[in-house]
Amino acid sequence: MRVLVTGGAGFIGAHVVELLMAAGHDVVAFDVLHPAAHRGLPDAPPEVDVPLVRGDVRDPEAVAAALRGVDVVAHQAAKVGMGADLADLPDYVGRNDLGTAVLLAEMARAGLRRLVLASSMVVYGEGAYTCPVHGAVRPAPRTVDDLAAGRFEPTCPRCAAPLLPGLVDEDAPLEPRSVYAATKLAQEHLTAAWAGTVGANAVALRYHNVYGPRMPRDTPYSGVAAIFRSALERGVAPRVFEDGGQRRDFVHVRDVAMANAAALDATGGPTAGFRAYNIASGQPHTVGELATALATACGGPPPVLTGEFRAGDVRHVVASPERARRELGFNATVGFEEGIAAFAHAPLRV
């Protein structure tokens, strides 16, 4: 089938392109090559001989042209990360939400009814928690005063007792706590509305912390794994915010590409509608463990716990990948130790 991959020259998008091409699909990559993600990158996805349409998803004419002859779309294009400050807010909304709206409108006009959306675990806000007294609860956002005092763990909103973090599934409440998170949730809502209106089959993949070869180097939009790698390449100890105890699920980009392939196949099924899936390894680790594993594999200095924090960061988000396993047949194959050992010496983007 002919697949359009928006953001096809990006970190995740290029890996999706590679995997789909290896599977024999006809692939077109569509990418604006934004300098924040593509500093020094040539006008083609790395190591991939594939047509690259340079264009902006906010441009209806460019999108309409890219969609000609396409059977299904993998929508990876987005501005990612926490950003530098709130001055980034209009650009996040424009690139993520307006861009998605333009894509959906042009897909409707072209009669295309199959879409895989790159979403994110950030739509959940905090993960799942249980109070020993009150059961499942949703903690309030952490206050600056608590964070500054080193009180990093959320507490029960009813009795202030310490909470036990658990696995978040796709039916958990959605409560974005950053600008980026709000735009990702808006993308999901737009996609669900489009699917319901036109009778399309749409899948949202809620990526957890993706890492792997060709991550962008240390920028305000980089993932934490790339930030730590960049520091270690300079011979500098990774600086770990808070106390390093934040729990995440680090999933390798090769597995994320496999999840996209499975989801693209699933959109060919007879049932129309919108469905979300956690894309995660099922092996939670703390940010401190990530930093330590990378430092060891790189032979660099051990990480430093700084106690610093960022407003909008959440404490624990650990996923249940069960729905993706059951319905998409997706299982992550790259273990944490294996993946981090390889990532320690993998190429990064300039």
Side-chain angles (χ1 to χ4, degrees), residues 13-36:
H15 284 274
V16 173
V17 166
E18 288 178 4
L19 184 67
L20 294 177
M21 289 185 64
H25 296 296
D26 181 13
V27 184
V28 176
F30 183 90
D31 204 298
V32 73
L33 298 179
H34 193 285

Side-chain angles (χ1 to χ4, degrees), residues 27-320:
V27 184
V28 176
F30 183 90
D31 204 298
V32 73
L33 298 179
H34 193 285
H38 298 280
R39 295 173 297 178
L41 187 69
D43 286 359
E47 304 173 9
V48 181
D49 182 17
V50 62
L52 173 66
V53 178
R54 188 164 186 173
D56 193 320
V57 287
R58 297 170 295 183
D59 179 349
E61 291 185 2
V63 172
L67 288 172
R68 292 187 188 119
V70 165
D71 301 301
V72 59
V73 176
H75 183 31
Q76 310 294 318
K79 183 168 183 172
V80 302
M82 290 289 288
D85 53 45
L86 283 178
D88 279 339
L89 198 158
D91 202 37
Y92 270 106
V93 173
R95 294 186 182 279
N96 296 357
D97 299 338
L98 176 59
T100 298
V102 169
L103 174 66
L104 295 172
E106 294 305 319
M107 289 183 68
R109 187 171 288 114
L112 283 170
R113 299 292 184 265
R114 297 172 62 188
L115 174 69
V116 173
L117 170 69
S119 187
S120 172
M121 56 89 174
V122 296
V123 299
Y124 297 116
E126 286 285 355
Y129 291 88
T130 302
C131 170
V133 177
H134 297 105
V137 296
R138 294 287 294 171
R142 299 180 298 169
T143 68
V144 171
D145 286 346
D146 280 343
L147 293 170
R151 294 187 292 269
F152 301 124
E153 293 290 345
T155 57
C156 177
R158 299 174 63 182
C159 68
L163 297 177
L164 177 67
L167 299 178
V168 63
D169 65 23
E170 293 85 351
D171 294 325
L174 305 179
E175 190 179 3
R177 295 186 177 182
S178 70
V179 168
Y180 171 60
T183 65
K184 297 308 288 183
L185 181 54
Q187 284 184 301
E188 287 199 14
H189 287 325
L190 289 167
T191 299
W194 166 80
T197 300
V198 303
N201 195 331
V203 169
L205 302 180
R206 292 174 180 164
Y207 302 156
H208 284 250
N209 288 68
V210 186
Y211 74 97
R214 303 199 303 267
M215 287 187 84
R217 291 183 185 273
D218 194 358
T219 79
Y221 313 98
S222 295
V224 65
I227 292 172
F228 291 163
R229 253 293 308 275
S230 296
L232 288 162
E233 282 189 346
R234 301 191 305 269
V236 176
R239 295 177 60 82
V240 180
F241 281 14
E242 301 185 16
D243 60 359
Q246 310 95 302
R247 295 174 76 241
R248 298 289 189 269
D249 190 305
F250 298 98
V251 58
H252 196 275
V253 67
R254 189 170 74 208
D255 285 325
V256 172
M258 290 173 56
N260 272 272
L264 287 166
D265 287 341
T267 64
T271 304
F274 173 86
R275 191 73 163 159
Y277 297 92
N278 286 324
I279 302 303
S281 73
Q283 300 177 2
H285 291 272
T286 68
V287 174
E289 288 171 342
L290 170 70
T292 298
L294 268 176
T296 300
C298 290
V304 174
L305 301 179
T306 69
E308 297 173 89
F309 58 88
R310 295 188 303 183
D313 273 354
V314 297
R315 183 62 175 175
H316 304 297
V317 187
V318 176
S320 167

